[in-house]
Amino acid sequence: MNKFISFSIALLFSSNLLASEVSFGVLKTMFPGETVKEFSLADINNDGNDEIIIITDAGELKYAEKADGGLLNDEDLSYLLSTRAWDIKTSISGATNSPSLYVYRGETIYLSQYWGSNPSICEATPIVENGHIVAKSGSGKITITSVTQNKIVGKLSCVSSPLTQSEEVSFTAIKR
């Protein structure tokens, strides 16, 4: 198996097309002292990012998470602002129903428990900051660390009636 992996990596880096379009950081040892028998990629913790999963020669199952959830950019922000609503699948303090994250006129994002009948809560204009999408208001902060076609992942805090989520809580939201 190790010869196959070595051959695959050598083949990957021998391609001029890939080498000219992709840049890599410093190599890191993910499973020191382990002999990898099999490996796979899968989102095992439902954060929107694949983890590397290995089976060692000893039959142990191990995994490594992506260090920072990836870096988001203006393209991710544009996609988010082109959508309309995301259902948050996390409990938020003070919410009687599961709140949703809404996009208003392609410019701002806000939280609300009911479409059209509740005022916008913690409304702010999102920007790309340090590889994340961040929206700060006087009453809260929404930080998005992962954006896919149907799911966003991040952290939020919001203290604006009726929400009382003063500490940041991780959230997952599914596109409506």
Side-chain angles (χ1 to χ4, degrees):
M1 183 70 176
N2 285 338
K3 289 181 183 178
F4 174 74
I5 292 173
S6 298
F7 175 74
S8 297
I9 291 172
L11 186 61
L12 174 70
F13 287 111
S14 69
S15 168
N16 289 336
L17 177 63
L18 285 176
S20 67
E21 293 180 10
V22 177
S23 62
F24 295 92
V26 177
L27 289 175
K28 296 178 182 140
T29 302
M30 295 178 58
F31 300 99
E34 299 291 349
T35 302
V36 177
K37 184 176 178 182
E38 295 179 39
F39 74 95
S40 182
L41 298 174
D43 183 7
I44 62 173
N45 60 4
N46 202 29
D47 69 352
N49 296 302
D50 285 343
E51 286 75 42
I52 296 175
I53 304 159
I54 69 163
I55 298 176
T56 66
D57 270 348
E60 292 179 280
L61 182 66
K62 297 185 176 188
Y63 72 96
E65 297 176 320
K66 198 176 216 181
D68 63 0
L71 298 177
L72 300 181
N73 56 36
D74 289 333
E75 187 176 307
D76 298 306
L77 177 59
S78 293
Y79 172 72
L80 176 68
L81 292 175
S82 74
T83 64
R84 185 170 182 166
W86 300 80
D87 293 325
I88 296 175
K89 303 296 181 188
T90 306
S91 295
I92 307 296
S93 182
T96 54
N97 293 320
S98 295
S100 294
L101 184 140
Y102 293 99
V103 177
Y104 182 67
R105 294 187 181 177
E107 297 174 2
T108 62
I109 60 175
Y110 67 93
L111 302 175
S112 184
Q113 291 189 83
Y114 308 101
W115 175 251
S117 63
N118 231 14
S120 58
I121 302 169
C122 297
E123 184 172 359
T125 301
I127 60 169
V128 176
E129 183 178 278
N130 298 323
H132 299 113
I133 296 173
V134 179
K136 299 177 193 174
S137 70
S139 55
K141 179 179 176 183
I142 301 168
T143 302
I144 298 172
T145 57
S146 176
V147 176
T148 66
Q149 291 292 330
N150 296 310
K151 181 167 72 171
I152 57 176
V153 177
K155 294 184 178 188
L156 68 84
S157 62
C158 181
V159 180
S160 181
S161 183
L163 301 183
T164 57
Q165 187 66 52
S166 59
E167 293 183 28
E168 273 193 336
V169 62
S170 296
F171 76 91
T172 299
I174 306 301
K175 186 177 175 186
R176 186 178 301 166

